[in-house]
Amino acid sequence: MKICREVYNAVKEKRFISSCRRYAARKILPDGYMITKKTVYLPYNRGLKISAKDFVRVASLRLTAYEINEARIEGSVAELGVYKGEFARYINKFFPDRKLFLFDTFEGFADKDITKDVENGYSRGNEDFSDTNINTVLKRMVYPQNCIIKKGWFPQTTDGMENEKFVFVSLDADLFEPIYEGLSFFYPRLAEGGTIFVHDYNNPDYKGVHVAVKRFCKEQKIPYFCLSDNAGSVVILK
């Protein structure tokens, strides 16, 4: 009864509870489901706050990184669509001994990519992501010395990287063309056991992402599954 009372009070006061008699501290959602604040079944403390922006996506990245690092899979990590480096920071943090390639125009969407999205009714392509720069991104990084900036229009920025191998890639470019090109470039270079996260797969404001993923995966006969994170990422394994 005392534990039940603790749970009841936590819900009532909208706070987290912690008890050594439970596996984890949890946030109780209105429909009765719970999100764990800690993962005691892994041999480390994740150090993630439940209040972190897009917790599900970041926590999924942390678990993915743990699996890849534990298996000692060789390869670099990358993100296409960096913006201000909020998610790239976690990639850099969770893969501390790997090169992190950061692909972005750092000036917002490319006009040629916007045109295709607008013509197909995928998005309006009018969101402004130009309020960033390389220094802003690098200041966010835990290990900036591991970062390799690839500024410009993708996939032209991949010149000379034909033999690079990757263990984790985040695709967060929002529009059909860069997402499809990102999958076309990175998936063949993904190591066995590697993972690709594609953000905005279920975002109704960027339908081109959904189309690009489904088209590529159908062509290549690749399975995938969805995350219940903000904007609905999709995960592709190899």
Side-chain angles (χ1 to χ4, degrees):
M1 286 297 295
K2 187 174 181 180
I3 292 177
C4 293
R5 176 58 60 179
E6 289 177 5
V7 173
Y8 172 79
N9 289 337
V11 175
K12 184 178 179 181
E13 298 172 18
K14 297 180 180 180
R15 61 180 174 80
F16 295 119
I17 60 173
S18 180
S19 172
C20 62
R21 290 166 296 176
R22 295 162 54 86
Y23 285 126
R26 296 182 171 99
K27 181 178 181 181
I28 313 300
L29 304 181
D31 56 6
Y33 285 93
M34 301 178 182
I35 299 177
T36 60
K37 189 177 181 182
K38 290 186 178 180
T39 307
V40 298
Y41 50 82
L42 290 179
Y44 61 87
N45 186 335
R46 287 190 304 182
L48 291 179
K49 294 182 179 179
I50 195 86
S51 59
K53 184 178 180 180
D54 207 347
F55 174 81
V56 172
R57 184 179 175 212
V58 175
S60 298
L61 168 64
R62 183 65 184 92
L63 294 171
T64 298
Y66 177 81
E67 290 293 323
I68 290 172
N69 291 331
E70 184 186 44
R72 298 183 180 180
I73 304 171
E74 295 184 359
S76 302
V77 294
E79 181 167 53
L80 169 59
V82 178
Y83 188 34
K84 295 183 178 180
E86 292 179 346
F87 192 64
R89 170 183 171 81
Y90 289 108
I91 301 174
N92 183 233
K93 178 180 179 180
F94 298 152
F95 291 99
D97 302 317
R98 299 178 191 267
K99 291 184 293 185
L100 170 56
F101 291 90
L102 298 174
F103 295 85
D104 205 299
T105 64
F106 297 98
E107 296 174 359
F109 293 142
D111 289 340
K112 60 184 77 176
D113 295 331
I114 293 175
T115 299
K116 186 158 190 174
D117 255 50
V118 173
E119 288 177 349
N120 287 279
Y122 296 150
S123 73
R124 291 179 293 178
N126 61 350
E127 195 167 356
D128 184 12
F129 292 106
S130 64
D131 58 333
T132 186
N133 56 65
I134 293 171
N135 287 335
T136 295
V137 171
L138 290 178
K139 285 180 181 178
R140 286 184 180 271
M141 299 300 114
V142 181
Y143 307 103
Q145 68 276 12
N146 294 348
C147 298
I148 301 171
I149 300 295
K150 305 293 285 186
K151 185 180 188 299
W153 184 68
F154 189 92
Q156 288 182 354
T157 47
T158 64
D159 287 350
M161 297 183 61
E162 292 78 13
N163 297 323
E164 193 73 36
K165 280 289 184 182
F166 298 90
V167 295
F168 178 83
V169 178
S170 166
L171 300 182
D172 193 6
D174 299 341
L175 307 181
F176 172 87
E177 196 66 25
I179 293 296
Y180 186 85
E181 291 294 335
L183 289 169
S184 298
F185 175 78
F186 287 111
Y187 187 79
R189 295 167 177 82
L190 194 66
E192 290 293 329
T195 304
I196 296 176
F197 280 16
V198 186
H199 197 228
D200 292 302
Y201 176 76
N202 282 316
N203 186 345
D205 293 330
Y206 291 106
K207 298 182 181 70
V209 176
H210 192 95
V211 176
V213 170
K214 291 187 76 70
R215 181 176 300 179
F216 180 82
C217 290
K218 182 177 181 180
E219 291 170 350
Q220 302 298 322
K221 299 180 180 179
I222 301 169
Y224 56 86
F225 65 92
C226 300
L227 294 180
S228 58
D229 63 335
N230 184 21
S233 293
V234 68
V235 178
I236 298 173
L237 305 174
K238 194 172 186 181

